[in-house]
Amino acid sequence: MSTSEAISADTGEKTGWDAVRELPPSAKLVAKVLEYNETLTQSQLAEETLLPPRTVRYALNRLEEEDVVESRFSFSDARKRLYSLAIDSR
């Protein structure tokens, strides 16, 4: 167990996949799709998961709150954001 894992275990704070387990099924699905497809836009996630865009947005917001997803602007289209998983895939 690393120091950060020991600290989060002591404080009751969940990180990584433990945090994802507490989220709604849509957020779990989005996290799994990002695990297999390194970086995707919101519309690509909606296409891959077959979830409505609004549900994908909600899932991404929940994942960002738990710091398990990172987002950045797309260089090819600044109107879009690219999302990637910020936790180790185990």
Side-chain angles (χ1 to χ4, degrees), residues 23-90:
L23 296 176
S26 60
K28 292 175 190 174
L29 178 59
V30 168
K32 271 302 192 188
V33 168
L34 284 173
E35 180 181 18
Y36 294 113
N37 300 289
E38 297 177 21
T39 304
L40 295 172
T41 64
Q42 181 181 344
S43 59
Q44 289 171 325
L45 280 164
E47 189 176 310
E48 286 288 321
T49 60
L50 302 177
L51 293 171
R54 184 176 179 179
T55 303
V56 171
R57 181 74 238 148
Y58 173 75
L60 287 168
N61 283 335
R62 294 294 304 268
L63 290 165
E64 285 179 323
E65 288 171 4
E66 298 294 333
D67 293 326
V68 295
V69 166
E70 295 175 342
S71 66
R72 61 183 169 85
F73 288 106
S74 170
F75 291 117
S76 61
D77 186 351
R79 297 172 296 175
K80 296 181 179 180
R81 296 188 67 80
L82 297 172
Y83 297 91
S84 57
L85 202 58
I87 55 178
D88 293 332
S89 55
R90 291 185 189 180

